[in-house]
Amino acid sequence: MIDTFAFSQSLGLLFTSFDPWLFVIPGLIIGLVFGAVPGLQISMAMAVFLPVTWAMDFLQAMLFLTAIFTGGAYGGGVTAVLMNIPGSSSSVATAFDGYPMARQGKHNEALGIGLGASVVGTFIGYALLMLLIQPLAGMVLRLGPLEMVMIVLWGLALIATLNDSTVLKGLLAGAFGLLLSQVGMSSTGTMRATLGTPYLIDGIAVVPAMIGLFAASELLRLRSSTYLVEDKAARSISLRKILVGFKEVFKYPKILLKGSFIGALIGAVPGVGSSVANLVAYGEIRRSSKEPEKFGTGCTEGLIAAESSNSSSEGGSMTALLALGIPGGAATAVLLAAFSFHNLVGGPSFIRDQRDVVYAIIMGNFGQVILLGIVALMILPILGLVVRIPLNYLVPSVLALCAWGGFGITGTIAGPITVMVFAGLGWLMRRHDYPVAATVIGLLLGQMTESELVRTLQISGGSPLSYITERPIAIGLLVLFIVSVIIMPMLRRQKMKKMAQAH
């Protein structure tokens, strides 16, 4: 399964000179900072620094860009824990338990748990990539547009059933996100709901909308508080407590492995990525838990599930890039651009002809995992100081940063306006117990779902029901969807009734 000769050559590429490692630590720091600032996406950081790789050799360029990728995967969870503001869409589920822990004064432990889960998840993701790159590539090729639609619907169903409100509200919030994603020009060239403004031709800007729904709406909700952590004694930043949280991760090996496997598998599906992996892993581990009611209240298992899966999905997304030459998302699309910078093409021929370089990239990422642990432990005490800033200073500062992030992404006034509109919408949704996460996921994946649905109808000749009978993987995903939407809520209601009768 592993080519030992190519593997030994890869070690020579990595360790005969220090040159491949020169830009790894700067890449990790860039990723941590961009990931931790709402509105600054990992893919944006990679795109901004892509021209820097022009003067590097290919291996050095890949290690630099993947270091940004690795750092950003954890950086997005820092603000999710401290402020309930996911730095990226892949950290949505991290906020479910990380933020309640921070509000309880356990922000140090939560940051350490998140870091430990990220380090282990990234390591497992790349280990699976090394062992299973060719079998996984074959599996991914068997997924057609119908399976992609089913995966998205299953992800939405999971997030709908995970909220503290009713399943109906979760489903309505997810459907609302899908509806919003249909604004603008369709995949068939039809213009929809643009209200006559040119700013909506390409649809609602997803990242400013996400900033508004998550970040700005949460800040509006916190305006009556004085600090993120009310207890003055609990606001201290302790490296010792962060290390305690880091070690605690290893008390849950089953959850670590399960979250990492789910993340790597879903991350390997082009176009789905870590945002769905994050939610599916969290939902599955909550479903199989003996105490699912603890999730969402500051549960260690939930935080481990979320962070291990979004980090391991990085290795999964590299599978599609290296084995098939297909970028799994925006970040791997930038990596594909780095291939073209150096006159290379990813895919089966790249694995066949340059297997030593493939192994060197994977082994280099193992080294990045160790460096991530060291660099993050040095930076976390600084990032954690946010809990000591009074909210009357923090709220307007972060709101201004949100507006700037919206403008930076769109380059027009439409960005800040989108942030403002969705901040108000998010505040209303939170007030009436509608999960904003479901709307964000619907908005993120809506356009992809529509295009895959159109392809399904074209392939099936307008008869999707007869087509699905020929697709066993799609049938399996449909069963999971039905279980998530109908059976799981029924079982949960029965359990709650039994508990109520017992008391």
Side-chain angles (χ1 to χ4, degrees):
M1 202 169 285
I2 294 178
D3 185 331
T4 52
F5 178 69
F7 183 76
S8 63
Q9 285 184 313
S10 72
L11 295 178
L13 289 172
L14 283 171
F15 298 111
T16 52
S17 166
F18 191 70
D19 289 349
W21 301 96
L22 281 176
F23 293 94
V24 169
I25 290 177
L28 288 169
I29 294 170
I30 291 165
L32 282 165
V33 172
F34 270 73
V37 178
L40 301 182
Q41 298 292 294
I42 304 167
S43 55
M44 186 193 303
M46 292 170 73
V48 167
F49 288 94
L50 178 62
V52 176
T53 66
W54 183 264
M56 302 178 189
D57 64 47
F58 178 68
L59 180 58
Q60 198 174 39
M62 290 299 288
L63 290 182
F64 173 60
L65 292 172
T66 53
I68 296 174
F69 199 176
T70 301
Y74 174 64
V78 173
T79 47
V81 168
L82 294 177
M83 293 187 286
N84 201 23
I85 301 170
S88 65
S89 59
S90 63
S91 302
V92 170
T94 303
F96 293 168
D97 284 292
Y99 183 64
M101 287 182 76
R103 294 289 280 176
Q104 295 160 19
K106 298 178 182 176
H107 50 280
N108 292 297
E109 291 86 345
L111 290 171
I113 290 166
L115 177 59
S118 288
V119 166
V120 175
T122 306
F123 185 90
I124 292 173
Y126 277 100
L128 289 172
L129 173 63
M130 177 174 282
L131 294 171
L132 304 172
I133 184 168
Q134 291 178 334
L136 274 176
M139 187 187 300
V140 168
L141 283 174
R142 296 179 65 184
L143 297 177
L146 181 59
E147 285 79 9
M148 301 287 277
V149 172
M150 292 297 177
I151 288 171
V152 172
L153 291 177
W154 182 36
L156 281 171
L158 280 172
I159 192 64
T161 57
L162 291 178
N163 69 88
D164 295 327
S165 185
T166 63
V167 175
L168 180 61
K169 283 187 175 181
L171 290 171
L172 285 172
F176 182 54
L178 287 173
L179 190 66
L180 289 173
S181 72
Q182 302 307 296
V183 172
M185 187 176 291
S186 73
S187 55
T188 57
T190 306
M191 203 67 70
R192 302 171 301 198
T194 58
L195 304 176
T197 171
Y199 295 123
L200 291 175
I201 289 174
D202 293 326
I204 293 169
V206 174
V207 174
M210 189 182 81
I211 292 170
L213 281 168
F214 272 122
S217 67
E218 177 63 19
L219 292 168
L220 292 174
R221 198 173 65 85
L222 287 173
R223 68 192 187 282
S224 59
S225 303
T226 52
Y227 287 89
L228 284 169
V229 177
E230 295 292 348
D231 184 4
K232 185 177 180 180
R235 289 183 209 138
S236 61
I237 306 303
S238 168
L239 185 60
R240 183 185 63 80
K241 289 182 178 179
I242 292 172
L243 284 169
V244 167
F246 188 97
K247 292 175 186 175
E248 191 173 346
V249 167
F250 299 95
K251 296 178 183 177
Y252 303 91
K254 288 184 181 178
I255 292 171
L256 264 176
L257 288 170
K258 194 172 183 180
S260 299
F261 272 96
I262 292 172
L265 186 62
I266 293 178
V269 180
V272 177
S274 53
S275 54
V276 175
N278 186 246
L279 295 163
V280 169
Y282 183 90
E284 174 56 27
I285 288 170
R286 177 177 175 172
R287 184 197 63 77
S288 59
S289 172
K290 293 179 181 177
E291 297 176 297
E293 66 279 357
K294 290 198 314 181
F295 284 69
T297 62
C299 176
T300 300
E301 293 96 316
L303 183 53
I304 292 171
E307 280 296 290
S308 62
S309 59
N310 74 8
S311 295
S312 66
S313 66
E314 179 188 336
S317 65
M318 292 290 286
T319 303
L321 177 69
L322 295 173
L324 306 174
I326 301 170
T332 43
V334 178
L335 290 173
L336 189 64
F339 271 77
S340 64
F341 259 35
H342 294 84
N343 298 314
L344 292 169
V345 178
S349 61
F350 179 69
I351 292 179
R352 184 184 65 244
D353 300 334
Q354 307 219 31
R355 195 166 296 178
D356 56 338
V357 178
V358 173
Y359 284 138
I361 292 168
I362 295 169
M363 291 301 295
N365 277 275
F366 287 143
Q368 285 177 16
V369 168
I370 298 166
L371 292 171
L372 171 65
I374 297 167
V375 171
L377 284 172
M378 293 169 63
I379 292 177
L380 279 178
I382 300 169
L383 295 176
L385 291 172
V386 72
V387 298
R388 301 174 70 175
I389 302 173
L391 286 176
N392 58 341
Y393 296 116
L394 185 65
V395 169
S397 302
V398 179
L399 280 173
L401 188 64
C402 291
W404 173 78
F407 180 80
I409 289 161
T410 61
T412 66
I413 194 64
I417 291 173
T418 303
V419 171
M420 181 179 67
V421 169
F422 278 87
L425 183 61
W427 179 78
L428 283 171
M429 290 179 71
R430 290 178 194 272
R431 187 173 182 181
H432 295 284
D433 296 323
Y434 284 88
V436 295
T439 300
V440 168
I441 296 303
L443 189 57
L444 276 169
L445 301 176
Q447 288 189 354
M448 186 197 79
T449 307
E450 182 196 12
S451 60
E452 297 294 351
L453 193 58
V454 169
R455 286 180 60 207
T456 301
L457 290 170
Q458 290 171 339
I459 293 168
S460 66
S463 304
L465 292 177
S466 60
Y467 179 61
I468 197 172
T469 59
E470 304 167 8
R471 311 286 296 184
I473 297 176
I475 292 170
L477 291 168
L478 179 61
V479 170
L480 287 172
F481 174 73
I482 292 168
V483 167
S484 301
V485 173
I486 301 172
I487 298 174
M488 279 175 56
M490 286 174 62
L491 292 173
R492 190 164 61 175
R493 278 198 298 269
Q494 286 179 358
K495 187 177 179 180
M496 289 174 68
K497 282 181 183 178
K498 287 179 181 178
M499 290 172 64
Q501 288 171 0
H503 292 295

